[in-house]
Amino acid sequence: MDRVEWARSARRELANIWMITVDKNAVTSAANYTERLRMIDPTLEGIAIPRSLRRVVVTPLTVEYRVNVRQQLVSIAWVQLGKV
């Protein structure tokens, strides 16, 4: 994949999580790993869920994303602190 895009709402939620968490390094590391999904095969990471999304837990975050192979794009749709 060539790029990763974050939905505005996911980017806002990540910022909120970072502001309230005690372990900012863990959140930053998890977000950075999520950005690197494009360098591995994102279609194999995590589990498939409805709406053509995939869910991956990168402690301390849970992230849902969509893969567009044709556009070589990973779109981060949703992020949450903790497991779902």
Side-chain angles (χ1 to χ4, degrees), residues 41-56:
D41 188 345
T43 62
L44 300 177
E45 192 73 17
I47 60 167
I49 60 172
R51 299 186 325 263
S52 300
L53 290 167
R54 297 197 66 80
R55 179 179 294 147
V56 64

Side-chain angles (χ1 to χ4, degrees), residues 28-38 40 45 56-58:
T28 300
S29 292
N32 288 342
Y33 178 85
T34 302
E35 289 280 338
R36 291 190 304 271
L37 282 173
R38 68 183 176 80
I40 56 177
E45 192 73 17
V56 64
V57 175
V58 185

